[in-house]
Amino acid sequence: MTTALREFQVMTKPIGAICNLDCHYCYYLKKEFLYPKGDDFHMSDEVLERYIVQQIEAAPGPIVNFAWHGGEPTALGLGYFQKIVALQKQHRPEGKKITNGIQTNGTLLNEGWCRFFAAERFAVGLSIDGPRELHDAYRVDKGQKPTHKQVVRAYRMLSEHDVHIDVLCVVHDKNVRHPAQVYRFFKDLGVEFLQFLPLVERENGGVSARTAPAEAFGKFLIAVFDEWLRNDVGKVAIQMFDEAARPLAGMDHSLCIFRETCGDVPVVEHNGDFFSCDHFVEPEYRVGNIAETHLGDMVESAAQRAFGEAKRDSLPRYCRECEVRAMCNGGCPKDRFIATPDGEPGLNYLCAGYKSFFIHSRPYLQKMVDLWNANQPLEKLMEVVRAEDAPPPAQAGRNDPCPCGSGKKYKRCCGAGR
């Protein structure tokens, strides 16, 4: 087999775990120790070309997606990525479209990088944890110096070049207590695509002090959701909210942590090693190497299939009977290490937070799906919610400002048709 039977997305690590930063919560830095001392952690030209060819051959559809991660991939230099694009163009067959995404801390970006990303239509994932004091709590360089100023500068440069930017915010013990401050910072910056990634670190049989408490994470999501619901539907796309709405619209999840099974987001390391998942880059989850086995064969291998199906098959009864199971499906297996209320192992550490958010958001997201099904603008949801918030109509005259806060007269807003 060469072509995979399902869509998949490889997280490619051309520089392995090597990074110019020393973010205190980074789980990938220690992966350097999986390889011999003296390894230069640089995907060679031979391995790079082999990978690009196999990714193109294995892609089951007309679009071939490349996702470059690290470590910090931009540490390889702009010339390396110019070589990547040249190889992709050399090997792209007729009828196939190639796309590229890169996840970066942004500190090494300059005008040259931004011009390149714009010209080659790269989607850029940029890591920012909110306002300066919250971001700099953990995202520091090797000298333990803050990075916020550099990252904000990178965001603005990318914006000036019209590069598509997805901002990734790790939610940890510091920023989880300040949802309004974090969200408004991103809105003021002009962020249009936003992801919230909860930090869960295992430590001494429990979790680290940096970990976002489950209940606090749920409150964080609810607070952001409530502000987004009233002011930013159609303006800011928040991945978590999109994912929560998908099952209500009869759609499969696009985010692996919420799918019923996983295993379709494997890792290819700098030397060609293939691992089942970015959070399971350990010897027991090494499926093979692209020098020995074709990428498509490893995606469809029995080992990779078993890894993905174990997520569904190990789901505790408490989760199987949960009213919001379709919105969560037990979450990421890496976080399923606590016991259910009846003592069964395998409950997600974040369960309490996820469940409170999904129950809170579900009625509003259903209204949004109903608008979508009726070919109505999703922004109308904001009017519906503000109308629900408004005092009884008798409290507002027809020519008074509408209590919903829209700025319109009552008769032209929530009082229309009354």
Side-chain angles (χ1 to χ4, degrees):
M1 179 185 294
T2 299
T3 302
L5 299 177
R6 55 175 169 163
E7 294 289 343
F8 65 94
Q9 178 64 71
V10 175
M11 295 181 70
T12 315
K13 312 275 188 172
I15 197 169
I18 303 304
C19 187
N20 63 314
L21 299 192
D22 190 25
C23 300
H24 296 172
Y25 55 62
C26 182
Y27 63 92
Y28 213 81
L29 291 177
K30 65 180 180 290
K31 303 305 178 184
E32 175 182 350
F33 301 108
L34 290 174
Y35 293 94
K37 200 169 183 180
D39 191 319
D40 66 359
F41 293 93
H42 179 287
M43 187 176 279
S44 68
D45 290 356
E46 178 186 3
V47 175
L48 177 63
E49 185 166 15
R50 179 182 295 121
Y51 165 64
I52 288 172
V53 169
Q54 291 190 15
Q55 174 81 359
I56 291 171
E57 291 175 342
I63 299 176
V64 187
N65 299 304
F66 288 86
W68 307 99
H69 288 249
E72 177 48 46
T74 63
L76 289 164
L78 179 55
Y80 191 90
F81 280 83
Q82 290 170 330
K83 177 170 56 182
I84 285 174
V85 170
L87 287 168
Q88 290 172 338
K89 291 176 180 177
Q90 176 186 335
H91 293 289
R92 181 184 68 84
E94 192 70 29
K96 291 272 188 180
K97 178 183 178 182
I98 289 177
T99 65
N100 283 284
I102 186 170
Q103 184 66 39
T104 176
N105 60 46
T107 60
L108 300 177
L109 298 188
N110 55 28
E111 292 289 335
W113 275 107
C114 294
R115 286 193 295 269
F116 170 77
F117 289 147
E120 300 299 339
R121 303 183 68 80
F122 268 59
V124 175
L126 186 65
S127 296
I128 314 177
D129 286 356
R132 178 184 57 78
E133 64 276 14
L134 299 176
H135 173 97
D136 287 339
Y138 297 131
R139 297 193 67 80
V140 295
D141 65 16
K142 297 296 186 186
Q144 303 303 298
K145 294 180 181 178
T147 63
H148 190 262
K149 183 177 179 180
Q150 297 162 274
V151 181
V152 170
R153 175 178 173 270
Y155 180 88
R156 289 176 174 149
M157 278 195 300
L158 291 164
S159 297
E160 288 169 2
H161 287 80
D162 293 322
V163 175
H164 178 93
I165 313 166
D166 279 291
V167 168
L168 173 63
C169 174
V170 174
V171 182
H172 45 69
D173 68 305
K174 305 293 186 187
N175 57 10
V176 74
R177 310 291 182 184
H178 305 282
Q181 184 182 354
V182 170
Y183 183 50
R184 288 169 190 170
F185 164 79
F186 289 128
K187 288 206 294 181
D188 291 345
L189 191 58
V191 172
E192 296 179 349
F193 300 92
L194 182 57
Q195 301 177 37
F196 291 116
L197 178 66
L199 176 66
V200 180
E201 288 184 309
R202 302 288 298 276
E203 188 177 273
N204 300 324
V207 296
S208 73
R210 290 188 291 260
T211 294
E215 293 83 356
F217 180 61
K219 291 177 181 177
F220 176 95
L221 290 178
I222 289 170
V224 174
F225 179 81
D226 284 350
E227 180 160 339
W228 172 85
L229 184 64
R230 287 159 176 81
N231 302 292
D232 302 309
V233 176
K235 302 174 188 175
V236 182
I238 299 179
Q239 185 188 49
M240 189 74 72
F241 304 166
D242 290 345
E243 286 297 322
R246 291 179 75 89
L248 301 176
M251 301 167 65
D252 291 334
H253 284 291
S254 61
L255 189 60
C256 61
I257 64 170
F258 293 141
R259 292 177 191 156
E260 186 176 36
T261 61
C262 58
D264 46 9
V265 190
V267 164
V268 170
E269 258 285 349
H270 67 290
N271 68 340
D273 281 348
F274 178 108
F275 292 90
S276 291
C277 171
D278 184 57
H279 290 287
F280 292 85
V281 177
E282 302 290 347
E284 59 266 39
Y285 296 102
R286 179 185 178 275
V287 178
N289 187 288
I290 61 173
E292 302 158 357
T293 309
H294 194 281
L295 179 70
D297 291 329
M298 288 189 282
V299 169
E300 294 294 344
S301 66
Q304 190 66 6
R305 286 285 185 180
F307 173 85
E309 291 170 0
K311 179 186 178 184
R312 175 198 61 213
D313 297 344
S314 62
L315 200 62
R317 181 177 61 83
Y318 179 79
C319 295
R320 295 195 304 270
E321 296 175 356
C322 178
E323 63 179 298
V324 291
R325 174 187 171 178
M327 302 173 89
C328 173
N329 285 305
C332 184
K334 80 176 180 66
D335 297 331
R336 286 161 54 169
F337 55 82
I338 64 173
T340 66
D342 57 3
E344 188 179 0
L347 184 66
N348 194 303
Y349 166 81
L350 294 165
C351 173
Y354 278 140
K355 190 170 184 177
S356 64
F357 165 66
F358 290 137
I359 290 174
H360 175 84
S361 64
R362 183 172 52 182
Y364 302 103
L365 294 174
Q366 184 61 63
K367 291 177 181 178
M368 187 171 73
V369 169
D370 292 343
L371 288 170
W372 181 70
N373 288 333
N375 293 316
Q376 295 290 312
L378 300 185
E379 292 83 351
K380 192 172 181 180
L381 179 62
M382 294 186 288
E383 297 179 18
V384 172
V385 174
R386 286 197 294 254
E388 291 176 351
D389 292 343
Q395 297 184 22
R398 287 179 54 75
N399 292 308
D400 291 338
C402 189
C404 79
S406 67
K408 301 177 184 179
K409 289 184 178 181
Y410 176 68
K411 67 183 179 182
R412 299 189 182 280
C413 189
C414 298
R418 292 179 183 269

